[in-house]
Amino acid sequence: MKYSVRILDIATRSGILLNYLDARNIGVLDGDRVQLINPKNSLAVTAVVTTTSTLEGQGTAGVYRGTNRRLNLTEGEEIEIREADRPASLDFIKKKMDGGRLTKEETLTIIKDVVNDEISAAELTAFITASYINPLDMEEVEHLTRAMVETGERIKFASRPIVDKHSIGGVPGNKISLLVVPIIAASGLKIPKTSSRAITGAGGTADLMEVLANVEFSAREVQEMTEKVGGTIVWGGATNIAPADDRIILQEYPFKIDARGQMLASVMAKKYAVGANLVVIDIPVGSHTKVPTVQEGRKLAREFIELGERLGMKVECALTYGDIPVGYSIGPNLEVREALRVLEGATEPNSFIQKSVSLAGIALEMSGKAARGTGAQMAQDILSSGKALEKFRQIIEIQGGDPKVKSEDILPGEHQFVVNAPASGYIVEMNNVSLITLARLAGAPHDRGAGILLHAKKGTLIKAGEPLFTIYAEREWRLQKAVEEGRHLVPVLVEGMLLDRVPSQSEV
Amino acid sequence: MKYSVRILDIATRSGILLNYLDARNIGVLDGDRVQLINPKNSLAVTAVVTTTSTLEGQGTAGVYRGTNRRLNLTEGEEIEIREADRPASLDFIKKKMDGGRLTKEETLTIIKDVVNDEISAAELTAFITASYINPLDMEEVEHLTRAMVETGERIKFASRPIVDKHSIGGVPGNKISLLVVPIIAASGLKIPKTSSRAITGAGGTADLMEVLANVEFSAREVQEMTEKVGGTIVWGGATNIAPADDRIILQEYPFKIDARGQMLASVMAKKYAVGANLVVIDIPVGSHTKVPTVQEGRKLAREFIELGERLGMKVECALTYGDIPVGYSIGPNLEVREALRVLEGATEPNSFIQKSVSLAGIALEMSGKAARGTGAQMAQDILSSGKALEKFRQIIEIQGGDPKVKSEDILPGEHQFVVNAPASGYIVEMNNVSLITLARLAGAPHDRGAGILLHAKKGTLIKAGEPLFTIYAEREWRLQKAVEEGRHLVPVLVEGMLLDRVPSQSEV
């Protein structure tokens, strides 16, 4: 039967909205599937049905934007709708629920249906939950990685090596890509870096780079820019590289899970799809990160290396200290300012510089540019010489930003609140999770100027009344919220501090 | 901040639709939660956010109907929206994913959020998947049952006993409630039966009863009708009894799963909520049903009995033969006609009558109305005497139907196709799943006249060319579809039939 189309623009939703009488007539219930056919060009997709008794009259059909991507319908055009079979993906997901192992073909079928929005968010969540409880083995992870690559755009460079770098995350202020990418590119290697925006963090690398330049480019543009200047720092979400991954992450988000198999596949699919064959993985280890112990970090490292071997990629991992923030800044503008200062010649903060040159050094050694044991020094030399700054400016320029930008141009939010040490003593703990929460309360990452600037780090002796950190915000109410709700977060702990005061019964 | 409300009427969806700029301003992403406050009456609910760039302008907010149920907003009114905390339910679901056991309070929190649409369909699916893979133990099942009861309407009768009956399902043509309920009510016992509509079947008891009377009543009306005539046969979905269950079943549907713990809780919560203290459970056993072996049937029976004890209810289970349909009819009108004929005095089909009086007899014995071993005979007497028919007419009348209805008034669809035996021999197999599929292809349960009438059952000797079964449909195209797509289903297998013919290579 034919229906008149209305386009429904709702993010992260897909499928078709039908009047319940039309649905009954077609023979489907809410959650069933129909085949949608564009009679103009014979494009056909399967879509999950939702029903309404008022929003669509009989004879009209609301097609969600995500579903229309592959149909190319415009408002008012005609569409043909038929009952569709239940997708085989659901049986494969059920197999995983029942503890089975998925074949290459089964995995590809699921991931194709994910990318084409032919299975619902709830059905995808069942797959994620099943794979979290019944973990994927390394062969299944390889299948998943390849399926993620095959269902998205790919970049093929004419020559190798192609370097890439990834940080597992969980550490605030981890702005090292802003140094690593220009250092690598300045050495003559190619590094087409795609990054994420923060979902639970205070600023992903893409959020940071967006302070300086555009970050939304197609895979083809990433390739061209990398050919020209040696590197990019773009948002992966815009490239359509491994698009299944974004959908998986969105469904993992409510439960704060990061199923091992999906995580390995997610990272490596993006590296594989951009053509990288030399990959450095930064695994921050610490009690408030995703990897609490060195033992677990080593295990994860071995898994990355094995998956790399299966895919024909050379992988090295660096276990890094992740118990406290990298550098002194958290939040887009503050972090970008800190990175620019180092590129401009600042020799502090040491933690940030050392981590960046160490990771860049590993890639330089893997590529043969530097001999074993000399990579970090070569990276430091590139940084100190100003070549990394020059390269970073080329990258900013090719991504449409202002290459003349200076660190002093980048300002934090105008509203600020200084938190002073309530007692004298050593700073004995910094809580990554609390620091990120505080930065987010202040508005990061959406408000680029929001964030936290630390004035001292773990191990420092501080006197009562001296500043511990400053909270910055672009909006007054955001600052207030961060200050009020932040009182109980204790992001920085000074040895002599009272953690709580319990009054005697009589005083209550 | 305040927004102007638009009501979004989309079934099975809930939450709020915001312009992405408003969402960013509030500080939330797709999938995050906000608190919605009706400033008029201070009602507040939590809702999951979806975003749009065109469907809502800045300053307007689309509130899904399901979410508005607890806010009572009308179009154009003002609503206040604030960022909300992540619900604790998500942590409890995560705990179940990680193999933990849920406490009574944790379970209640999850089920409250399910009923109030404060967790999304995807999040509920994660809970279902986790409970399927890491099964609930009996204590957790008890918690779940009580939580389902507490979050819905309840019926409290002044006196007991209150009888109830449930069939696990999976057997086509299982219309026995249409006999059991009037027999029990005619004996003087009370049986406030709530039933389901078919989701994957060819007709649930509620679909059948709807041929004769209204089935949508509130819990209070069910109570009043039961007080007056002794019994009801209504659709549970309209009563708001154990409403969490419908939402769980909807999410299980794509995967055709029926997690043991959820199933036990689902059945017993409905019985508990209507105040039943004597419960008979019909467990059909057979290779094409939900319970393939007698051993598994006994295990399930013990679980129902134990759960009943925990809830203070007496439960008996009957393992029944479930390998072939009950009676000769499948589909609403055909089944209702067959049941009315038996109530009117027909002494066939034996399978249908025997099963019905056996189950009714168990309840009569449990209540003390009949001595052990004499319940089935008492049920048969009530049936043969015409008292069950008289009672059924009272039930039809009080539910708004025509009490003078006769079996010959109920007609199957006018389009029919007779399938003849392709060979002579004994009928060696009937496939429940194929029969249901065929009835659904013909339009059941939506088209009340659609279905299948069997002309012979398993074990019968049949000659080539004699009718095996007739497919009925209300619409010609539905009949064609059933006939065409049904060719490969082989719902009835005659010993001498060729199952397939494989031509030699040269003939291809």
Side-chain angles (χ1 to χ4, degrees), chain B residues 178-218:
Chain B
L178 301 185
L179 300 195
V180 173
V181 172
I183 289 171
I184 297 295
S187 82
L189 293 165
K190 292 194 183 70
I191 179 164
K193 172 97 184 93
T194 63
S195 320
S196 52
R197 295 188 186 279
I199 296 179
T200 56
T205 297
D207 298 314
L208 269 51
M209 189 65 186
E210 207 173 32
V211 171
L212 300 169
N214 300 332
V215 295
E216 304 197 359
F217 295 96
S218 69

Side-chain angles (χ1 to χ4, degrees), chain B residues 177-357:
Chain B
S177 289
L178 301 185
L179 300 195
V180 173
V181 172
I183 289 171
I184 297 295
S187 82
L189 293 165
K190 292 194 183 70
I191 179 164
K193 172 97 184 93
T194 63
S195 320
S196 52
R197 295 188 186 279
I199 296 179
T200 56
T205 297
D207 298 314
L208 269 51
M209 189 65 186
E210 207 173 32
V211 171
L212 300 169
N214 300 332
V215 295
E216 304 197 359
F217 295 96
S218 69
R220 196 187 172 80
E221 289 168 325
V222 170
Q223 177 168 15
E224 288 167 0
M225 294 189 296
T226 304
E227 302 276 15
K228 279 186 194 148
V229 301
T232 59
I233 302 174
V234 303
W235 177 45
T239 60
N240 201 31
I241 285 170
D245 186 50
D246 292 339
R247 290 170 165 81
I248 290 172
I249 288 171
L250 192 69
Q251 299 308 320
E252 289 184 329
Y253 168 50
F255 300 104
K256 300 179 180 171
I257 60 170
D258 198 0
R260 181 68 60 103
Q262 262 87 348
M263 193 255 273
L264 288 164
S266 159
V267 172
M268 295 299 283
K270 288 173 192 158
K271 309 302 161 204
Y272 190 86
V274 298
N277 62 329
L278 302 180
V279 177
V280 184
I281 311 259
D282 167 25
I283 303 179
V285 176
S287 48
H288 298 296
T289 72
K290 293 182 186 172
V291 180
T293 66
V294 171
Q295 285 69 27
E296 285 190 53
R298 286 203 186 110
K299 184 165 176 290
L300 183 59
R302 282 193 300 269
E303 290 172 333
F304 269 116
I305 291 164
E306 186 190 335
L307 181 56
E309 278 167 9
R310 285 169 174 268
L311 299 166
M313 299 154 78
K314 216 166 133 188
V315 175
E316 287 199 27
C317 298
L319 271 58
T320 57
Y321 180 63
D323 248 348
I324 61 171
V326 176
Y328 287 87
S329 59
I330 300 163
N333 283 6
L334 288 163
E335 294 192 50
V336 168
R337 184 173 71 174
E338 190 169 53
L340 278 175
R341 279 181 183 159
V342 169
L343 286 161
E344 287 162 2
T347 54
E348 284 291 332
N350 190 55
S351 64
F352 171 35
I353 297 172
Q354 284 311 308
K355 182 168 177 181
S356 302
V357 299

Side-chain angles (χ1 to χ4, degrees), chain A residues 46-351:
Chain A
T46 301
V48 177
V49 172
T50 45
T51 63
T52 176
S53 46
T54 59
L55 289 182
E56 300 292 343
Q58 282 192 266
T60 73
V63 178
Y64 286 89
R65 204 180 48 184
T67 297
N68 192 42
R69 236 184 295 128
R70 293 179 305 126
L71 279 171
N72 280 319
L73 290 157
T74 54
E75 195 94 7
E77 281 191 319
E78 274 209 329
I79 191 176
E80 205 180 317
I81 305 180
R82 295 182 198 158
E83 202 175 347
D85 291 338
R86 183 168 168 276
S89 290
L90 298 184
D91 291 325
F92 306 149
I93 294 171
K94 172 81 169 10
K95 181 179 172 186
K96 193 70 212 164
M97 286 185 194
D98 288 326
R101 293 179 65 245
L102 296 180
T103 66
K104 188 175 174 182
E105 291 69 30
E106 288 165 349
T107 307
L108 183 59
T109 304
I110 294 171
I111 297 303
K112 269 187 185 160
D113 281 354
V114 168
V115 171
N116 292 336
D117 289 318
E118 297 201 353
I119 66 173
S120 70
E123 290 158 358
L124 173 55
T125 294
F127 175 58
I128 293 166
T129 306
S131 312
Y132 174 80
I133 303 175
N134 298 324
L136 305 179
D137 67 19
M138 196 47 81
E139 198 169 310
E140 288 177 291
V141 174
E142 183 190 341
H143 298 332
L144 181 61
T145 311
R146 291 188 186 275
M148 283 181 174
V149 171
E150 282 175 38
T151 50
E153 299 277 330
R154 294 182 63 172
I155 298 178
K156 281 173 189 162
F157 286 97
S159 68
R160 292 213 167 166
I162 301 296
V163 178
D164 210 341
K165 170 260 158 198
H166 185 84
S167 287
I168 296 305
V171 182
N174 198 12
K175 60 205 76 83
I176 64 166
S177 289
L178 301 185
L179 298 196
V180 173
V181 172
I183 290 171
I184 297 295
S187 81
L189 293 165
K190 291 193 184 71
I191 180 164
K193 172 95 185 92
T194 65
S195 321
S196 51
R197 293 190 187 279
I199 295 179
T200 55
T205 298
D207 298 313
L208 270 51
M209 189 63 185
E210 208 174 31
V211 171
L212 300 170
N214 300 330
V215 294
E216 304 197 0
F217 295 96
S218 69
R220 195 188 172 78
E221 289 169 325
V222 170
Q223 175 167 16
E224 287 166 0
M225 294 189 297
T226 305
E227 302 275 15
K228 279 186 196 149
V229 300
T232 60
I233 302 175
V234 302
W235 177 44
T239 59
N240 202 32
I241 285 170
D245 186 49
D246 291 339
R247 290 169 166 82
I248 290 172
I249 288 171
L250 192 69
Q251 299 309 318
E252 289 184 330
Y253 168 50
F255 299 104
K256 300 178 179 172
I257 60 172
D258 198 1
R260 180 69 59 104
Q262 262 87 348
M263 193 255 273
L264 288 164
S266 159
V267 171
M268 294 300 282
K270 288 173 191 159
K271 307 303 161 204
Y272 190 86
V274 298
N277 62 328
L278 303 179
V279 177
V280 184
I281 311 255
D282 166 24
I283 304 179
V285 176
S287 49
H288 299 295
T289 72
K290 294 182 186 173
V291 180
T293 67
V294 170
Q295 285 69 27
E296 286 190 54
R298 286 203 188 110
K299 184 165 175 291
L300 183 59
R302 283 192 299 270
E303 289 172 331
F304 269 115
I305 291 164
E306 186 190 336
L307 181 56
E309 279 167 9
R310 284 170 174 266
L311 299 166
M313 298 154 80
K314 215 166 137 188
V315 175
E316 288 198 27
C317 299
L319 272 58
T320 57
Y321 180 63
D323 248 349
I324 61 170
V326 176
Y328 287 87
S329 59
I330 301 163
N333 283 6
L334 287 164
E335 294 192 51
V336 167
R337 185 174 69 174
E338 190 170 54
L340 278 175
R341 281 183 182 158
V342 170
L343 286 160
E344 287 163 4
T347 55
E348 284 291 329
N350 190 54
S351 65

Side-chain angles (χ1 to χ4, degrees), chain B residues 380-491:
Chain B
Q380 178 68 64
D381 293 345
I382 293 171
L383 180 61
S384 307
S385 68
K387 284 182 194 154
L389 177 61
E390 190 188 332
K391 183 53 73 182
F392 193 45
R393 289 188 163 148
Q394 291 171 10
I395 295 170
I396 292 171
E397 185 168 24
I398 204 162
Q399 291 187 203
D402 174 10
K404 298 196 193 70
V405 68
K406 292 194 187 64
S407 57
E408 59 258 39
D409 302 334
I410 311 297
L411 299 174
E414 57 175 323
H415 303 282
Q416 41 187 283
F417 182 88
V418 180
V419 176
N420 295 318
S424 299
Y426 286 94
I427 295 177
V428 287
E429 210 184 298
M430 311 193 94
N431 185 318
N432 286 342
V433 177
S434 298
L435 284 166
I436 291 171
T437 304
L438 204 55
R440 287 179 68 90
L441 284 169
H446 293 303
D447 296 350
R448 301 298 190 208
I452 292 171
L453 187 64
L454 302 168
H455 300 302
K457 290 182 79 175
K458 195 169 162 179
T460 315
L461 180 62
I462 199 161
K463 285 200 186 116
E466 284 180 349
L468 274 180
F469 58 89
T470 302
I471 307 171
Y472 288 93
E474 292 186 353
R475 293 181 276 180
E476 175 65 28
W477 70 271
R478 279 269 173 211
L479 183 68
Q480 289 310 322
K481 193 169 177 188
V483 170
E484 278 159 33
E485 297 190 24
R487 288 197 196 286
H488 307 288
L489 288 172
V490 196

Side-chain angles (χ1 to χ4, degrees), chain B residues 90-109:
Chain B
L90 299 184
D91 290 325
F92 306 149
I93 294 171
K94 171 80 172 6
K95 180 179 173 186
K96 193 72 212 163
M97 286 186 194
D98 288 327
R101 292 178 66 243
L102 296 181
T103 66
K104 190 175 173 182
E105 292 67 32
E106 288 165 349
T107 307
L108 184 60
T109 304

